[in-house]
Amino acid sequence: MEIIATAESMNQAEALIDAGADRLYAGGHPFGLRLPRPLGLEEIESIVRLAHSRGKAVTVACNALMHNKQIDQFAAYLTQLAEMKVDALAVGDPGAILMLKEQALPIPYIYDAGTLVTSAEQIAFWIGQGASGAVAARELTLKELIMMQQKLDRPIEVLVYGPTCIHQSGRPLLTNYFHYTSGDRASRLDDQVLFLRDPKNAGSQYPIIEDTDGTHIFSTEDLTLMGQLKIMHENGLDTWKLDGVLLRGDAFVSIVALFDEARRAIEAGAFVPESFINRLKKLQPEHRPLGTGFYMKNPEDVH
């Protein structure tokens, strides 16, 4: 059972390793999407050195759909990542994958194309192209994920905690909105989380974030599969991702530590789902309800 956790800084990276994370997930603009904080190459290198000194791994996010300008910059970025010996890349753009293969750099890649990764056959295709695994779409059901993993000999990475991005636009929608309403940006948006609200649900909050990659709108709840971890383990779904893009600092570290404790309980045959679910609720921010999204639905009810 591998725990992957997003890292927003060198300090948090060390805390996440202490909390039980096996692999850290980091990256920077303009190649990595929806990160807790975009990191420069020097900071990524420091995190890689730290992780390797502790026997841990680092995946660098290169999951953007790249335009010509990004592709032109990507070769140099890949060379620098290879020099610092990162353990893997998360890549979804076929052009970026082609460039990685053409450069023959010794970096494994994990296929990460967001909502497109919905079948074992598609993952098998990319494994045939050299992928070491894949990140499953967050719109799949647990039943589908289990069936997919049973057909594959490489791991499927599953989000077990964190938000789902339900919309992305390359345009600066928040900036455009403030220009329209006030003639200028009301304030810097980089470190703010604003919300959209469903007129039919006064309590709904859809986080909306703008960065250099555009505008991202997230689900009203954080997904969790805490209650299903034992079932996942019994069916070979052992690669667990925790995403802290909306939950920063020590609060996210505490949740990673709880999932590590749950993993150890499963290994010891002492896992009680209800207990861990209740403890997770106590750690979860009040304004972010927990849910299972599509995971616990029947596939027939989704498609």
Side-chain angles (χ1 to χ4, degrees), residues 122 159 168 175 182 184 198 224 230 250 302:
Q122 183 182 168
L159 182 74
Q168 179 191 345
T175 296
S182 62
D184 198 0
D198 183 348
T224 175
K230 185 172 182 291
D250 293 340
V302 176

Side-chain angles (χ1 to χ4, degrees), residues 78-141:
L78 285 175
T79 299
Q80 290 170 299
L81 293 179
E83 290 173 353
M84 64 179 76
K85 295 181 171 57
V86 303
D87 299 282
L89 306 179
V91 188
D93 187 301
I97 293 171
L98 177 62
M99 181 169 289
L100 177 63
K101 294 176 69 173
E102 287 178 340
Q103 289 190 255
L105 295 173
I107 313 176
Y109 77 89
I110 301 160
Y111 182 61
D112 180 6
T115 57
L116 300 180
V117 189
T118 55
S119 72
E121 288 71 21
Q122 183 182 168
I123 295 173
F125 172 83
W126 286 106
I127 289 173
Q129 300 299 311
S132 60
V135 179
R138 296 170 184 182
E139 293 77 13
L140 292 169
T141 66

